[in-house]
Amino acid sequence: QVQLVESGGGLVQPGSSLRLSCAASGIFFSQYTMGWYRQAPGKGRELVAVITSDDTANYGDSVKGRVTISRAKDTVYLQMNSLEPEDTAVYYCDVRQGQLAYWGQGTQVTVSS
């Protein structure tokens, strides 16, 4: 059974940085894409960043230039800088391959002064 555990969220002030981590276990396919999505209250899930098995990264327009995604085996990281209140959301880690997709339970990021 695939399990994804996010960590690193919290309450920070505007302009601060956070590093989110997602540890995956139970993955049974050899190549897969890992990514981060976020969902603010009353809004749909939004792409933050994805990274492929060959380390090609893509970013959502709202965070481009402020975040960096990286991976080491079955762990994916999201370095976020210059955080703004608009970044407040639950951040979800996901793993996908073909038609298969798995989601973590999310970690709360709150940016407020």
Side-chain angles (χ1 to χ4, degrees), residues 4-7 19-24 32-36 49-51 68-79 92-95:
L4 306 175
V5 180
E6 301 98 332
S7 62
R19 180 178 168 89
L20 307 183
S21 299
C22 174
Y32 50 92
T33 298
M34 302 187 74
W36 289 94
V50 295
I51 186 166
T68 302
I69 189 171
S70 61
R71 67 187 296 174
K73 288 192 173 182
D74 294 333
T75 303
V76 62
Y77 305 93
L78 186 72
Q79 177 69 44
Y92 297 92
C93 173
D94 95 320
V95 170

Side-chain angles (χ1 to χ4, degrees), residues 19-98:
R19 180 178 168 89
L20 307 183
S21 299
C22 174
S25 62
I27 298 177
F28 54 88
F29 29 83
S30 58
Q31 299 187 74
Y32 50 92
T33 298
M34 302 187 74
W36 289 94
Y37 295 76
R38 67 186 184 185
Q39 187 167 19
K43 298 183 179 179
R45 194 164 294 185
E46 175 189 26
L47 169 69
V48 178
V50 295
I51 186 166
T52 64
S53 58
D54 66 347
D55 289 341
T56 299
N58 290 279
Y59 300 93
D61 290 338
S62 62
V63 299
K64 192 172 299 182
R66 300 189 295 115
V67 307
T68 302
I69 189 171
S70 61
R71 67 187 296 174
K73 288 192 173 182
D74 294 333
T75 303
V76 62
Y77 305 93
L78 186 72
Q79 177 69 44
M80 301 189 294
N81 302 318
S82 302
L83 288 165
E84 300 294 338
E86 292 75 18
D87 296 314
T88 297
V90 178
Y91 285 70
Y92 297 92
C93 173
D94 95 320
V95 170
R96 59 184 64 196
Q97 197 281 330

